[in-house]
């Protein structure tokens, strides 16, 4: 997958274009630089023009990023996620870093038909020496309809752990608020929808500051970098925010503040749509339906029949060479076309909207337009935003219900919780069962079972508890067993839990042993546990040894465990040592404890210290 890095254009990878600069700047050593869009290389004297990209000034985060890249070049798969605000230089830093990779490395940037769909479709085809480029990683990793984000995360984890495809390098960028969402722990009793993402992202965070240091600014001012755009930005950017200035931030703000009413309304509708939940692609239909709500009665009455087209033309106009404030997304040849036109808001204006419009009232027209025209994968986010505004409970519920109907498991869970609290139990039950289709929502199955039990539908409740247990929900095992025992189904419970123990690694062997004993099943429990242990079932080894010892079969247990230990079976060495100590064979136990300690068991080292103390105490007393 992907293309050779040397054949790629940084702007195709979403590195920001730089603003234009004033023509003519004379450097101290006699160089004079003029900007000419037709030229792409710098030459001495008066025929020079700046390169397409401004010269790069490495900062502290670049060293951390390059360390990850060098490890990949040396053969170690790795991942780095650059976290910083809009236009702070995250994507450019990634571009500069991959230039360190040797010839033969490829770069894959999945984005068609949508970012998560493209990543999921072809991630299995990624081969060694490939960079996976996840610019604006929230669009890949955050859950969406059908849990696409969760499945992308799982694919990335598998890719990074695949020895046969090493080395691969995953580079991503994300804003701080999205990083917080992906890395935050869930609230108690809530589904852990970001568990896989937290594991993927652990240790990958590289923070990118929003401003340049005083030393960097001084070097630019002294003409050490020799680029008029950098000098121009350094002289005008506030608080050292050079990258934001180069990306056209001041021009964008000027364009927004000076916009005529129609264009201002469209931009503010786009800002609110993005901050309330819309993805990168904003439907034209949504903007057309929402924007009138941002116009006063007088502005609406004075608008022309073509006001919306005029507004889009104004917002699309480039700002000193940088992307316009709101531009139409144009599919490339070979890309799947959109069903209807889609527009993208400039990153800096999006961030500006989040900061300045946070407390502003949202026109009803925006909520209605989002409900009718937003993409299905964005409905849940709109619903969450409606709930965060407290008074929008009705809007929240209708958004999450519509998202649940489209297959969003997280939305189904949230709708079920709300309906449950309001006493609409039948509707809540249906939504809990729908939410349970997501891998992170075994707790929803547990909730559905509890509701069925409350409604007196016992057999159905048992079935739901069993399904939740099969999804890895441990408390559902005990709930199912208790409910079956209350119905006099001890034999059926024993058969079920025996099969579950054979099929999963859930920590419920003690419950299984107790049930099998209580049900007086015609089964040799010790032999059953030994068979599970031979297959690597966690916990079976120790429990089998304990039962054999209780049954007076300590010698047989020692022979069996010794055989396993000599064949490299994890945990067997420690069990042999404990068994020998309990039967008084201290010297042999010490040898086995030493073997277990050499294998990395801390408790074995503690046992050796204890035995050593016990052996020296009598001599000390004498």
């Amino acid at each position: 997958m992907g293309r050779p890095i040397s054949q790629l254009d940084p702007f195709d990878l979403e590195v920001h274009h730089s603003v234009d600069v004033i023509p003519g700047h004379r450097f101290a050593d006699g160089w004079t630089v003029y900007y000419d869009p037709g030229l792409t290389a710098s030459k001495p004297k008066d025929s020079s023009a700046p390169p397409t990209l401004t010269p790069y000034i490495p900062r502290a985060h670049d060293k951390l990023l390059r360390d990850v890249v060098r490890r990949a070049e040396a053969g170690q798969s790795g991942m780095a996620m650059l976290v910083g605000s809009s236009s702070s230089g995250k994507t450019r830093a990634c571009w500069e870093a991959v230039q360190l990779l040797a010839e033969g490395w490829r770069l894959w940037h999945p984005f068609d038909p949508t970012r998560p769909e493209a990543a999921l479709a072809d991630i299995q085809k990624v081969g060694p020496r490939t960079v996976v480029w996840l610019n604006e990683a929230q669009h890949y990793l955050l859950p969406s309809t059908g849990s696409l984000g969760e499945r992308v995360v799982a694919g990335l984890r598998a890719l990074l752990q695949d020895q046969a495809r090493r080395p691969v390098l995953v580079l991503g960028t994300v804003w701080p608020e999205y990083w917080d969402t992906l890395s935050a722990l869930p609230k108690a009793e809530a589904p852990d929808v970001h568990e896989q993402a937290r594991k993927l992202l652990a240790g990958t965070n590289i923070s990118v500051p929003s401003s340049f240091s005083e030393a960097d600014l001084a070097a630019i001012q002294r003409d050490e970098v020799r680029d008029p755009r950098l000098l121009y930005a350094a002289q005008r950017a506030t608080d050292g925010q050079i990258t934001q200035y180069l990306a056209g931030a001041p021009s964008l703000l000027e364009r927004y503040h000076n916009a005529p009413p129609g264009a201002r309304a469209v931009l503010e509708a786009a800002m609110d749509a993005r901050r309330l939940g819309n993805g990168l692609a904003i439907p034209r239909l949504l903007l057309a339906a929402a924007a009138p709500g941002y116009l006063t009665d007088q502005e609406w009455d004075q608008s022309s029949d073509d006001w919306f087209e005029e507004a889009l033309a104004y917002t699309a106009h480039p700002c000193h060479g940088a992307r316009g404030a709101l531009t139409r997304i144009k599919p490339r040849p070979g890309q799947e076309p959109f069903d209807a036109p889609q527009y993208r808001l400039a990153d800096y204006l999006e961030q500006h909207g989040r900061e300045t419009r946070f407390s502003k009232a949202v026109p009803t027209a925006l909520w209605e337009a989002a409900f009718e025209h937003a993409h299905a994968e964005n409905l849940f986010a709109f619903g969450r935003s409606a709930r965060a505004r407290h008074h929008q409970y009705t809007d929240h519920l209708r958004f999450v219900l519509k998202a649940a109907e489209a297959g969003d498991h997280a939305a189904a869970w949230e709708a079920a919780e709300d309906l449950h609290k309001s006493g609409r139990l039948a509707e809540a039950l249906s939504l809990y069962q729908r939410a349970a289709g997501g891998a992170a929502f075994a707790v929803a199955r547990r909730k559905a079972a509890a509701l069925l039990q409350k409604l007196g539908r016992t057999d159905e409740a048992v079935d739901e508890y069993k399904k939740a247990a099969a999804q890895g929900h441990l408390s559902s095992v005990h709930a199912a067993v208790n409910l079956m025992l209350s119905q006099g189904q001890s034999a059926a419970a024993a058969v079920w839990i025996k099969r579950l123990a054979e099929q999963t690694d859930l920590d419920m062997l003690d419950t299984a042993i107790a049930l099998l004993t209580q049900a007086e099943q015609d089964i040799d429990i010790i032999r059953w546990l030994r068979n599970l242990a031979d297959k690597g079932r966690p916990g079976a080894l120790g429990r089998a040894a304990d039962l054999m010892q209780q049954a007076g079969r300590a010698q047989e247990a020692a022979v069996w465990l010794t055989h396993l230990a000599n064949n490299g079976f994890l945990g067997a060495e420690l069990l042999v040592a404990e068994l020998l100590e309990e039967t008084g064979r201290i010297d042999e136990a010490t040898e086995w404890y030493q073997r277990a300690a050499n294998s990395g068991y801390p408790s074995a080292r503690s046992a050796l210290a204890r035995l050593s103390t016990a052996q020296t105490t009598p001599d000390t007393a004498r």
Side-chain angles (χ1 to χ4, degrees), residues 418-433:
D418 283 354
L419 292 171
H420 192 179
K421 291 172 185 174
S422 62
R424 296 161 65 177
L425 301 187
E427 295 170 89
L429 172 61
S430 174
L431 284 158
Y432 278 133
Q433 291 172 323

Side-chain angles (χ1 to χ4, degrees), residues 249-273:
S251 300
L252 286 167
L253 287 177
E254 181 181 342
R255 191 91 178 143
Y256 164 54
H257 290 307
N258 294 335
R264 187 206 69 241
V266 170
L267 286 173
E268 290 181 350
M271 288 179 185
D272 285 349

